[in-house]
């Protein structure tokens, strides 16, 4: 019997397959695990300006958000239906770009901008990385170039296809949709973007959509919130697999990211 | 001789008894009014004279070319018969004993600020000032309380837009609760002025480039951005007029603030 947060959202303890409430489906991942021999874990100081919270404070924040319905989970599921149709990467190992695309869509939702669905497969294709990558790399790309919108019109890229055209018109259109601010260490490599567990809990409590790369799954997803489940604080994530979870949502039971970065602002474009 | 010298000495010391200090400039005393202060509104009706009876030569401002009053100064003393300011419209004969008699008459309705400056004055308090309301003109309000006029009817709200502004690095859970609370969002979705199908509110970092936003929101942002002095802030636009108000502490307070500015 699956565990369901709020009676709707599956809780993952071992395998992402637990997120398919109607049976497992063939899926792709795409996050490149970190080679710890090449790049061992280092002790890092608590970085930057991100406000950090203790677990009891995070619980208080959670309950206040429940009272006011003010988290990204609530924004996404207002009225019981999702604010947008989430992206499906299926067939392409481009989860590491879908995490960023979803993060941008959530930031737009938070700003009260029109819904745009970004083309993550296009991003991977333009970066010429069609066999996997890291969320930090897609965030860097989105910061420098933006992401194109899904579609077949001028300046758009067809959904779930590598056969779009990288033209000046496309580049001009995607430049309207850039990441402008985020939690990202410009002094580190794209594959070396990390947030401590405490920082992941903070971004999850401050409505900062956080791209997370999880080595044990070889997969990247988007953390939108941190929620309590069976006395543990857990990431609430949006995946990029069709038919996964509750409108793409699942809870990872005490499973935290190996690589992570977050978005705090995007261009307020309306088309 | 000795008594005269004594008088003069005592007078110079201000100690002479029973000799009142002379009033060098004498102005009309309006009946039933208290003694004029140095700044008083006087009324000059048509066919009346406002007389300045002075023992010293004075500069009178405005001069004769102002168009509301005519000003004429001649040596006194003079006996004059006519209607005088404050005389109730009756024809009277009055004697003016001063060395310089200035006659002021009305030319057309208006208000003038009359300044009477003794020649060679070095003490500001010796300058006499009067406001003349000529031929029924309403003088400017004095320092006293102004009775309230009729309350203008409230203008209908034809546009209402809201911007929540913050600094990303200083965001807090409390700020997020105010901006994202369902009660606040529901209100904004219904009551803000939509543009291109989008409700008229925006939540943004203070450094955002608003040029790609909807035209009206971009214009509001351009108007608001230079006025930002603190974050977070709440900018409210009603009928084209934008102001920045203190950021509410709770969603309830935010709702109250929005309703107050919207009018409902």
């Amino acid at each position: 019997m699956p565990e369901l947060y709020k009676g709707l959202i599956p809780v993952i303890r071992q395998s992402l397959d637990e997120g398919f409430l109607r049976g497992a489906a063939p899926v792709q991942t795409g996050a490149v695990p970190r080679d710890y021999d090449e790049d061992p874990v280092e002790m890092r100081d608590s970085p930057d300006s991100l406000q950090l919270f203790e677990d009891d404070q995070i619980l208080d924040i959670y309950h206040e958000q429940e009272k006011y319905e003010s988290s990204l989970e609530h924004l996404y599921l207002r009225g019981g239906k999702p604010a947008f149709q989430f992206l499906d990467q299926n067939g392409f190992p481009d989860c590491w770009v879908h995490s960023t695309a979803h993060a941008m869509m959530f930031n737009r939702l938070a700003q009260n901008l029109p819904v745009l669905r970004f083309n993550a497969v296009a991003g991977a294709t333009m970066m010429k990385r069609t066999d996997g990558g890291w969320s930090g790399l897609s965030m860097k790309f989105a910061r420098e170039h933006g992401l194109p919108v899904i579609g077949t019109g001028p300046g758009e890229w067809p959904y779930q296809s590598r056969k779009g055209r990288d033209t000046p018109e496309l580049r001009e259109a995607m430049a309207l949709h850039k990441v402008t601010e985020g939690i990202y260490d410009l002094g580190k490599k794209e594959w070396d973007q990390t947030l401590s567990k405490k920082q992941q809990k903070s971004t999850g409590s401050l409505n900062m959509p956080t791209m997370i790369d999880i080595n044990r799954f070889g997969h990247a997803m988007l953390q939108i919130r941190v929620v309590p489940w069976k006395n543990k604080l857990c990431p609430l994530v949006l995946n990029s697999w069709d038919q996964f979870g509750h409108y793409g949502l699942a809870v990872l039971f005490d499973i935290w990211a190996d690589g992570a970065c977050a978005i705090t602002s995007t261009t307020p474009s309306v088309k | 001789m000795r008594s005269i010298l004594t008088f003069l000495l005592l007078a110079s010391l201000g100690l002479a008894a029973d000799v009142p200090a002379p009033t060098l400039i004498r102005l009309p005393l309006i009946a039933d009014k208290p003694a004029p202060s140095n700044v008083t509104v006087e009324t000059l009706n048509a066919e009346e004279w406002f007389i300045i009876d002075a023992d010293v030569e004075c500069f009178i401002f405005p001069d004769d070319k102002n168009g509301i009053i005519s000003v004429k100064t001649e040596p006194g003393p003079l006996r004059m018969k006519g209607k005088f300011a404050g005389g109730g419209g009756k024809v009277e004969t009055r004697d003016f004993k001063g060395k310089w008699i200035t006659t002021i008459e009305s030319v057309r309705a208006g208000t003038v600020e009359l300044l009477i400056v003794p020649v060679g004055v070095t003490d500001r308090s010796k300058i006499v000032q009067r406001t003349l309301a000529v031929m029924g003109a309403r003088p400017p309000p004095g320092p006293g309380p102004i009775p309230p006029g009729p309350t203008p009817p409230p203008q209908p709200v034809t546009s209402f837009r809201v911007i929540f502004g913050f600094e990303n690095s200083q965001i807090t859970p409390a700020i997020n609760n105010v901006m994202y609370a369902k009660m606040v969002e529901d209100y904004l979705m219904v009551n803000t002025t939509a543009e291109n199908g989008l409700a008229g509110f925006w939540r943004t970092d203070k450094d955002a480039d608003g040029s790609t936003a909807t035209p009206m929101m971009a214009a509001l942002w351009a108007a608001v951005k230079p006025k930002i002095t603190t974050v977070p802030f709440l900018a409210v636009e009603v009928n084209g007029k934008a102001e920045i108000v203190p950021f509410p502490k709770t969603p309830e307070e935010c709702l109250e603030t929005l309703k107050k500015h919207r009018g409902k």
Side-chain angles (χ1 to χ4, degrees):
Chain A
M1 192 66 181
E3 296 175 84
L4 296 173
Y5 164 73
K6 290 186 177 176
L8 293 167
I9 298 172
V11 179
I12 310 290
R13 287 183 180 263
Q14 301 294 333
S15 163
L16 288 177
D17 288 344
E18 296 168 76
F20 287 103
L21 297 172
R22 289 171 286 280
V27 291
Q28 284 281 4
T29 53
V32 176
R34 181 171 170 173
D35 185 338
Y36 288 97
D37 290 331
E38 288 284 324
D39 179 37
V41 171
E42 298 170 16
M43 289 298 292
R44 287 188 169 87
D45 292 335
S46 171
D48 56 48
S49 58
L50 184 61
Q51 186 181 3
L52 300 180
F53 305 101
E54 299 302 324
D55 282 2
D56 58 343
Q57 290 174 301
I58 290 178
L59 270 176
D60 289 341
I61 293 168
Y62 173 84
H63 289 301
E64 281 284 286
Q65 288 177 331
E66 286 299 298
K67 173 183 170 185
Y68 289 117
E69 300 181 67
S70 56
S71 72
L72 290 182
E73 174 195 342
H74 295 99
L75 261 66
Y76 180 54
L77 293 176
R78 284 253 203 265
K81 294 288 183 195
F84 53 77
Q85 183 185 350
F86 69 98
L87 303 171
D88 174 27
Q89 69 176 95
N90 203 28
F92 296 92
D94 301 336
C95 62
W96 55 283
V97 190
H98 284 79
S99 56
T100 294
H102 273 152
M104 290 172 67
M105 290 163 69
F106 262 92
N107 182 261
R108 291 180 60 85
L109 181 64
Q111 289 189 59
N112 187 46
L113 295 172
V115 171
L116 292 176
R117 300 179 76 230
F118 293 115
N119 199 318
V121 172
T125 307
M126 283 190 279
M127 281 186 265
K128 296 181 171 46
R129 281 202 71 97
T130 57
D131 56 354
W134 309 269
S135 291
L137 179 59
S138 63
M139 179 169 169
K140 180 175 181 236
F141 184 83
R143 196 177 65 243
E144 293 173 355
H145 305 284
L147 283 180
V149 171
I150 289 170
T152 53
E156 297 176 340
W157 188 291
Y159 190 39
Q160 294 177 334
S161 169
R162 297 223 188 270
K163 292 188 178 151
R165 294 194 302 147
D166 187 351
T167 62
E169 187 181 25
L170 177 83
R171 290 281 176 163
E172 189 183 340
M174 60 192 264
L176 291 173
H177 315 300
K178 286 185 177 180
V179 173
T180 53
E181 286 190 21
I183 308 295
Y184 186 99
D185 192 337
L186 292 172
K188 292 191 168 65
K189 297 290 184 190
E190 301 82 11
W191 40 261
D192 196 24
Q193 296 298 321
T194 60
L195 294 174
S196 66
K197 191 193 291 189
K198 208 164 188 176
Q199 288 173 299
Q200 291 172 52
K201 290 177 182 177
S202 278
T203 59
S205 303
L206 289 172
N207 283 2
M208 296 176 179
T210 308
M211 298 84 85
I212 57 174
D213 299 346
I214 302 174
N215 287 350
R216 66 185 264 191
F217 299 141
H219 191 47
M221 292 177 282
L222 179 73
Q223 173 189 279
I224 66 168
R225 195 183 183 194
V226 168
V227 302
W229 184 256
K230 302 283 165 77
N231 296 321
K232 289 278 187 188
L233 289 171
C234 309
L236 172 63
V237 300
L238 179 70
N239 201 353
S240 47
W241 294 342
D242 190 30
Q243 300 183 47
F244 183 87
H246 179 67
Y247 297 117
L249 293 175
V251 172
L252 305 181
F253 185 76
D254 199 23
I255 299 170
W256 299 94
D258 301 289
C261 45
I263 283 177
T264 54
S265 283
T266 58
T267 43
S269 46
V270 292
K271 55 180 180 180
Chain B
M1 184 66 168
R2 190 172 156 188
S3 63
I4 292 172
L5 287 173
T6 303
F7 170 76
L8 286 173
L9 176 62
L10 289 172
S12 72
L13 295 174
L15 297 176
D18 300 325
V19 179
T23 304
L24 297 179
I25 301 172
R26 291 166 292 280
L27 297 174
L29 287 177
I30 308 298
D32 299 325
K33 282 193 179 177
S37 62
N38 210 35
V39 180
T40 302
V41 177
E42 308 283 9
T43 304
L44 178 64
N45 295 317
E47 298 179 351
E48 288 182 350
W49 289 327
F50 185 95
I51 303 296
I52 301 172
D53 178 6
D55 295 327
V56 294
E57 189 176 8
C58 297
F59 297 114
I60 309 291
F61 299 96
D63 64 15
D64 196 39
K65 299 182 183 64
N66 65 89
I68 296 175
I69 55 175
S70 69
V71 180
K72 186 170 84 171
T73 300
E74 51 196 328
L78 289 176
R79 170 172 282 192
M80 300 173 73
K81 181 177 179 180
K83 297 179 187 176
F84 295 91
K90 300 191 302 276
V91 174
E92 304 170 69
T93 299
R94 294 188 185 181
D95 290 316
F96 297 98
K97 295 182 172 26
K99 290 182 181 174
W100 301 100
I101 308 300
T102 301
T103 306
I104 296 178
E105 293 181 85
S106 59
V107 174
R108 62 175 175 83
T111 304
V112 294
E113 293 298 322
L114 205 62
L115 274 180
I116 305 163
V117 183
V119 172
V121 70
T122 56
D123 181 355
R124 187 188 176 92
S125 67
K126 300 291 189 244
I127 298 173
V128 178
Q129 186 178 348
R130 288 288 187 275
T131 300
L132 272 186
V134 181
M135 288 175 68
R138 187 173 174 195
I146 299 169
T151 305
Q155 298 294 316
V157 172
T158 54
S159 79
F160 180 64
R161 292 183 177 84
V162 172
I163 296 178
F164 295 93
F166 52 86
E167 164 54 56
N168 272 322
S169 65
Q170 297 171 18
I171 207 76
T172 66
I175 293 171
N176 279 341
N177 283 339
V178 169
M179 293 195 294
Y180 299 113
K182 184 175 183 297
M183 65 171 71
V184 173
E185 187 173 270
D186 285 351
Y187 178 84
L188 292 169
M189 285 295 186
V190 171
N191 290 286
T192 53
T193 306
E195 189 180 0
N196 298 344
L198 192 64
F201 69 96
W202 184 27
R203 307 176 184 108
T204 179
D205 179 84
K206 67 172 182 38
D207 295 319
D209 172 6
S211 61
T212 54
T214 59
M216 294 304 294
M217 193 59 76
L220 174 59
W221 185 238
V224 160
K225 204 170 177 184
K227 299 179 188 174
I228 300 170
T229 55
T230 184
V231 283
F233 66 88
L234 178 65
V236 179
E237 175 260 313
V238 180
N239 293 351
K241 187 180 167 205
E243 63 176 302
I244 296 181
V245 302
F247 197 85
K249 294 186 180 57
T250 64
E252 292 85 354
E253 187 182 313
C254 182
L255 199 55
E256 207 176 294
T257 300
L258 293 172
K259 286 179 177 175
K260 184 178 110 182
H261 282 85
R262 173 79 171 75
K264 60 172 181 171

